[in-house]
Amino acid sequence: MTPAAGRRYAAADPRRAAIVEAALGRFAQAGYLNASLARIAADAGTSAPVIAHHFGSKERLLMAVLQAREERTARTFGPLQDAVRGEDVRELFRAILALAEYNLTQPGLIQLYTRLSAEAGDPAHPAHAYFTERYERVAGVIADALRRSLAAGRLRPGTDPALVAREILAVSDGLQIQWAFTGGRLDFMELYRAHLDRLARAVTVDGTGLAEPA
């Protein structure tokens, strides 16, 4: 690679990042179907042909936005990764809460997900496969952690890890939707913490909640 080419690639990275950020904002505000490349380009200080050059299509731009979101989450995923390898369901729930609290610092991402997950219920939507895979993957990770806790004798016999995992995701998504509709006035963390505390008391053998030590 020539020095000039290296400079071109270095300049392209910030431009690409700016386009992804602008698309994230537009998709969150208007949804994927109603967001235009022209508006995204204006927000990013560039043009629609430049977006086409970097991403090829609106659909590929959407997938780049979703991938960027996954990468951001992965950078804060350490505590949850440690928790899912353990046997204490309370530690798992605390790590899930920490991740939820981090997500609240990026309201645009929550708005993006609430809009896109609704749109992507249509199998023809370009993000349909992404959300299908993501729900299966995240539910699977939580369920596997719960199975380890059950096998270690820490959960009450008869606890269904798959159902509990789906319940956790359903409550999280439902509260996020209500949080978005209230413009952030809903106390998401208080409600989600209270739910996971009740859930911990219901499924653990010793009936302890999140405030108790492991």
Side-chain angles (χ1 to χ4, degrees):
M1 180 186 297
T2 66
R7 287 194 296 271
R8 284 198 300 273
Y9 282 115
D13 289 340
R15 183 179 300 166
R16 183 182 178 92
I19 293 169
V20 168
E21 286 298 319
L24 189 156
R26 281 291 161 187
F27 291 155
Q29 182 181 39
Y32 170 79
L33 299 176
N34 294 322
S36 71
L37 287 181
R39 295 298 296 272
I40 293 170
D43 292 346
T46 187
S47 65
V50 170
I51 293 180
H53 170 74
H54 283 286
F55 297 95
S57 67
K58 184 181 176 183
E59 180 176 336
R60 290 184 180 178
L61 176 57
L62 171 63
M63 300 315 297
V65 168
L66 295 173
Q67 179 61 37
R69 196 270 186 186
E70 292 283 346
E71 290 171 358
R72 287 185 186 182
T73 301
R75 287 196 291 268
T76 65
F77 210 61
L80 187 53
Q81 289 280 37
D82 293 339
V84 298
R85 288 192 289 265
E87 298 174 352
D88 184 8
V89 71
R90 288 175 294 266
E91 288 300 318
L92 173 66
F93 289 179
R94 291 185 192 112
I96 290 172
L97 280 172
L99 182 59
E101 190 169 29
Y102 165 77
N103 286 338
L104 287 180
T105 67
Q106 303 177 82
L109 290 177
I110 293 179
Q111 293 168 356
L112 172 70
Y113 263 61
T114 54
R115 282 183 177 273
L116 283 182
S117 60
E119 290 183 353
D122 180 355
H125 193 282
H128 179 81
Y130 167 84
F131 278 98
T132 299
E133 185 278 332
R134 182 177 180 276
Y135 274 120
E136 291 299 319
R137 171 167 45 86
V138 175
V141 168
I142 296 173
D144 285 345
L146 292 168
R147 289 188 188 98
R148 279 190 287 276
S149 188
L150 182 63
R154 297 195 175 202
L155 298 187
R156 294 182 179 180
T159 299
D160 188 325
L163 290 181
V164 173
R166 292 292 181 177
E167 177 183 338
I168 291 171
L169 291 181
V171 171
S172 174
D173 283 6
L175 288 175
Q176 284 185 25
I177 291 171
Q178 294 179 64
W179 182 87
F181 271 111
T182 63
R185 293 187 300 276
L186 182 77
D187 195 337
F188 175 94
M189 290 305 300
E190 179 182 1
L191 292 169
Y192 199 30
R193 185 178 290 107
H195 171 74
L196 290 178
D197 182 71
R198 288 193 300 272
L199 187 57
R201 294 176 187 278
V203 300
T204 55
V205 169
D206 56 12
T208 56
L210 300 185
E212 285 80 8

